[in-house]
Amino acid sequence: MILASALPAFAGPKPVVPMVEARCRAGAAQNPFKPVLPVSARTLTETNRLAIVAIGSSTTAGTGSGEASRSYPAVLEEELRRRLPTREIKVTNLGVGGQSAYEMYLRLESEVIPEKPALVIWQTAVNDAIRDIGEEKLAKILRKGIAKLQEAGIDLVLMDMPWLPREGRYPKYDDYRAVLAKVASETGVPVFPRYVMMKNWSGSKRFSEEEIVGMDGLQVVESGYRCLAIRLADGIAAELGGGREPGKPTN
């Protein structure tokens, strides 16, 4: 620390890259998140501001994080402000634990669109898979929600379902993941590849299962939320011209 303090002022601040950040980027090059966000890019250029709404269930609400400031939307706001320091960034958390895709869809008109976001991150489908509501029913809900946001002129990112160490409890889990991927592909919506990210973190042994999903094997916990936020911020900032390419080291 003495050496750092002795550096001349023009050397600039030393980049802060916590160890957890490096662990979070494991496998990023193999499973990149490179969303196309034309509305967000235009809004940022014209106003120097970016408003994001995160809607979802417990992962978005931050259940298991200990406090709201450690939820993924809160950390995402911090990370985007760090990457885009001259921009005004706001991330609004509208997560409600336990909600289904249909319950979230009903909130788009009354709660999400009135916030006038340039970007919505929609984390959904896991509760629908666990309850097995029907694959075609989920597809219809997702299509209607996507259409509503697109008609409102809002960019959308769908968040993939989580990797669960005991997902075999739910025989159709992969089928519901396939529904989400298919609808996203058909409607041109980017998907944040959460499932493969989480599976890679566990398989690489860089994290223990408890660090990713907690003792119950279902609920994302603090380090998992931070990693999700870091990877989301990497992709969003890179697309908007102020960040690093996913999978590449920081300078």
Side-chain angles (χ1 to χ4, degrees):
M1 300 303 289
I2 295 175
L3 178 62
S5 63
L7 290 174
F10 60 77
K14 183 179 180 180
V16 178
V17 184
M19 286 297 294
V20 69
E21 190 165 328
R23 289 196 295 166
C24 293
R25 293 195 175 109
Q30 293 73 36
N31 300 292
F33 172 56
K34 296 183 177 181
V36 177
L37 307 172
V39 177
S40 301
R42 183 174 66 250
T43 300
L44 201 59
T45 298
E46 294 175 352
T47 69
N48 209 40
R49 299 177 180 179
L50 180 64
I52 300 172
V53 168
I55 185 169
S57 52
S58 58
T59 291
T60 303
T63 306
S65 64
E67 55 187 80
S69 63
R70 296 176 180 175
S71 66
Y72 101 71
V75 179
L76 175 61
E77 183 176 274
E78 293 174 4
E79 291 292 326
L80 286 174
R81 286 178 175 179
R82 182 157 69 90
R83 289 161 174 73
L84 305 167
T86 64
R87 311 289 193 160
E88 184 178 328
I89 309 293
K90 179 183 178 182
V91 180
T92 300
N93 188 343
L94 295 182
V96 177
Q99 282 206 326
S100 67
Y102 183 67
E103 289 171 315
M104 296 175 207
Y105 165 74
L106 293 177
R107 297 171 58 213
L108 296 180
E109 192 75 48
S110 61
E111 298 181 42
V112 175
I113 293 175
E115 291 286 336
K116 298 182 179 180
L119 170 62
V120 167
I121 302 171
W122 190 4
Q123 171 261 311
T124 191
V126 63
N127 290 313
D128 304 272
I130 289 172
R131 297 165 187 164
D132 192 13
I133 68 161
E135 295 160 46
E136 187 53 39
K137 182 177 180 180
L138 174 63
K140 289 179 180 178
I141 294 167
L142 293 176
R143 289 190 188 102
K144 290 176 69 175
I146 290 167
K148 187 175 289 291
L149 293 171
Q150 289 177 336
E151 288 167 4
I154 298 170
D155 285 332
L156 173 63
V157 168
L158 278 173
M159 183 180 289
D160 194 8
M161 290 159 55
W163 168 80
L164 302 176
R166 291 180 286 280
E167 66 190 45
R169 299 173 181 176
Y170 315 109
K172 295 185 178 180
Y173 196 80
D174 284 342
D175 296 332
Y176 281 87
R177 283 192 60 236
V179 168
L180 186 147
K182 184 173 185 292
V183 172
S185 177
E186 291 172 347
T187 55
V189 172
V191 175
F192 177 66
R194 171 165 63 147
Y195 182 93
V196 292
M197 288 180 182
M198 294 177 68
K199 189 171 184 178
N200 181 276
W201 295 333
S202 176
S204 68
K205 306 302 181 184
R206 288 176 173 85
F207 294 87
S208 66
E209 286 185 1
E210 289 75 17
E211 285 184 290
I212 301 171
V213 294
M215 295 298 291
D216 65 359
L218 287 170
Q219 183 58 60
V220 179
V221 291
E222 184 180 343
S223 57
Y225 288 129
R226 177 159 291 280
C227 281
L228 293 177
I230 286 170
R231 295 285 287 273
L232 277 163
D234 281 351
I236 293 169
E239 162 64 9
L240 299 181
R244 58 192 289 284
E245 286 292 333
K248 293 185 179 179
T250 52
N251 295 324

